[in-house]
Amino acid sequence: MIDTPRYKELQALLATQTDEKSRVDTQLNIAEEVKNFEVDDAAQMANDIIKHSRTIAYPSGIGRGLCLKGFCNRLKGEYEAGIEVLNEALSIAKKTHDKNMEATALYYLGNIYRDLGDLANVFTHYEKALAINEELGEEYYQSVILSSISNLLYDLNDYDSALEYALKCLPIFERVHNVNSLLNIYNTLGNIYFKKESLGEALHYFEENLNRSEPETAAFVLAESGVGKVYYKMQDFAQANKFLAHALQEAEKLGNAEVQIICHFYLGRMSMDNENYRGAVKSLDAAYHLAGEYTRRHDMMSVHEMLSVLYDKMGDIPKAFHHLKSFEKLKEDIFKQATLNKLKNLQVRQETELAQKEKEVAERTAFLKHQFMANMSHEIRTPMNAIVGLTRLLLAKEPKPDQLRYLNAIQLSSNNLLVIINDILDLSKIEAGKIIIEHIDFSIHEVVQSVKDMLMVKVEEKKIELLLTVDPAIPKRLVGDPTRLNQVLINLAGNAVKFTDKGHVEIRLTLKKKEESKLWVDFDVIDTGIGIGAEYIDTIFDSFTQAGADTTRKFGGTGLGLTISKQLTGLLGGDITVTSILGTGTTFTCAIPLEEADVQEEAKKGSLLDTRSMERLNTLKILLVEDNEFNRMVAEDTLKEFIPGIRIQMAVNGQEAVDRLKKEMFDIVLMDIQMPVMDGVTATKAIRNTLPEPARSVRIIAMTANVLQEDVQEYFSIGMNAYVSKPFQADELLLKMDTVMDIVVPEGTVMASEAAPGASTAPALPPPVAVREEPPAKKERVMRQLPEHVTDMNFLKTFTSGNPEKQKKYVGMFLENAPKLLDSIDKAMVVKDYPAIKIAAHSLKPQLSYMGIKEDVSKIFLIEQSAGEAAHFDTLPDLVANLKHLCTKAFVELKNNN
């Protein structure tokens, strides 16, 4: 029971009051006192106050009640609910011009975003709240916010600056005798001195809080956990265990996640130091799951780091790699977010730098980097295969002029994206700064026209103009890197369109100088958009930077486009500058050196294959081994379009392919790599090592999204004859097929294309000869509520160009296949067959995408990844349950719409 003097005083005042609004104000003050002892009771009081204030039409009571409710939501870890009610309070404050309420709501929102690790939003909200309190002359509340900024600097590891701010606030809090503020600042000082290894000072402030706070309150158990972690650092494990264990017990009763995480974390570290690795895993896993449940990203980062050390000590290197990589990723994300706003307006000189990776860390993460890049290669290229292939097929269907325009834009965008993807996946080039700039003949008019085509949909949507102006003195054909030039112009012009709502965007090319065949061309991108403030001009090319937080929230984006453009312009030998007037417009100028091509008339492109080769391909019998039905459709339609006489049979996995080859002859096997039951690599090994001749020497072409150098080398080493990267180009596939058919066949062998239908012989080939190739360069919680509509039929309509028959076909395929895959996952969960779960989830993933079901709702990618990591097996039941619930809803929606 609450028995403080302040509480008694307020209760006595309430008993004397008759005015309803005055009673609400007093009840709010009582609830503010209660929240320090019983959060649930305070939250219920807030609900009652809000309800009553609505009845008597008292906006101030509603808004303050919402602020109190949001505060309680944060303490209970209910962050989404807290953000929602605090934004409602903020709206009321602005309507009623209540500056105090506005500052309070902003401050409480900043606290939630700090817990979530969203530092960009923390800076924004704290800055606004501080500005309001400075305007009101509220010294105390300014100090409250500055103490929170001290905590923020602590999060950013700038302990000296954090200490400076905390010590500035301390005398103000002591002067006003505000107990809660003193408890908070003492806890902050304890944490700062703890990190600075001043353990005596840290212990002093945590013990002060033990003496000042009431037992069985959040402040008391937080102080206990602080004392416990200091004793751990002092190597007094008996005292550390005493305080941490008791704090954990009380925090569990209070439902205080923060203290539970601290206690589990340091109990885990203590177990690890005592070589009790089983106990350490148990404690650290408990800390990790709590941090994940409440989305406390800083805590997740710390636990990942410690789990990496723990598993390294245990000799479990794969798990150590996983947690080290997760730690580095979270650290990079959090610290990069911090750079979005560097507290410029708060005059805090805080520069956050990610520590240089030591050689030992680089060696430990090398394997994980390769694994990640291989996964990314597959995940990006698989959907791109469908995009490129289906676009090509649609272009061949004699589309209408407006459709042709859009399809050409898709094709150009896809081709440019593939080039960029290849460089992203070329890890060694990126790390060494060795992106190769081409010097090839190209049409400057085609480059700028392609930029216009790619942006026209957005331009027309915004009802602005996109103008092209090319200096007639510039030769039609130049020598340079058209892909990189296109990328720079797309970034700049895309930005211009995004930030222009009225007027026009112009791409203007001007010949500035010419010396013999060398040219210097200015590429100006001019817009009449919102402009850039003078204070941002000098930093606009920095990574992850945009012109202010308002710009980031309104227009989105990563802030990487201009950085990439500047780097590419430099690689092209040029320079980029910007001039802008806020509210009037912006001009980016790229000065790039180019050369005049020797031949100004473009030669007509000839076919890559002669008539004889095309005739030979027309007679082939192919086995297409591919588990993804959409990819099978693209490959089959493409081949039949170019070589109508080709005979194609299908196998949905490697085992089925091996069985087919035992009974039937084929000229070429087009082999996917990642498949259920048996993958392409295993199937190829089985064909080469276990089948009799002539089946064992069948020509095999890998069709794969995994094109890292190590992967390609493996394909050749096991006996594959060639590979085609997904998404494939028709010419490339046909050329590879024709090339492998030139492998010498022993005399007397009958080819499948020459045999009578049904014949069972196959070519007896010598050991596979690799066709000369240029190898490519080098836990979260489940959503408890589903959206109102989980499928997106507009996505399917766009994908099929509005063809109702195709839409019906794809929906039917999904309704037939998805239940089978869900059943496979269910059965695999029962027997804990995690590889089977991973394969089924991988197969279901593209099908969900085609139905417009988003990953953040389905969590299908997370299921696939979790099934491949033993550390995350325990997350699968919830994830799979969510997936089944989602699919049930999706089936109903699709049946109703179909």
Side-chain angles (χ1 to χ4, degrees), residues 10-21:
L10 290 169
Q11 288 286 11
L13 175 63
L14 182 65
T16 66
Q17 290 177 318
T18 57
D19 176 72
E20 286 296 321
K21 292 182 180 179

Side-chain angles (χ1 to χ4, degrees), residues 600-650:
Q600 288 297 306
E601 294 299 324
E602 183 180 8
K604 293 185 177 179
K605 294 179 181 179
S607 173
L608 291 175
L609 298 174
D610 57 26
T611 304
R612 176 188 166 281
S613 294
M614 292 301 290
E615 288 175 352
R616 177 169 63 172
L617 293 178
N618 235 321
T619 65
L620 296 183
K621 183 177 178 183
I622 303 297
L623 179 62
L624 175 61
V625 190
E626 168 67 71
D627 69 305
N628 188 300
E629 190 165 2
F630 293 96
N631 286 345
R632 288 201 300 272
M633 179 185 68
V634 169
E636 183 180 18
D637 288 356
T638 299
L639 288 170
K640 287 187 174 179
E641 178 186 349
F642 285 91
I643 38 179
I646 196 169
R647 289 169 287 161
I648 303 175
Q649 293 191 27
M650 307 286 184

Side-chain angles (χ1 to χ4, degrees), residues 780-791:
E780 59 185 272
R781 296 285 292 177
V782 182
M783 290 184 65
R784 299 185 184 277
Q785 291 184 334
L786 294 175
E788 184 179 355
H789 298 289
V790 296
T791 58

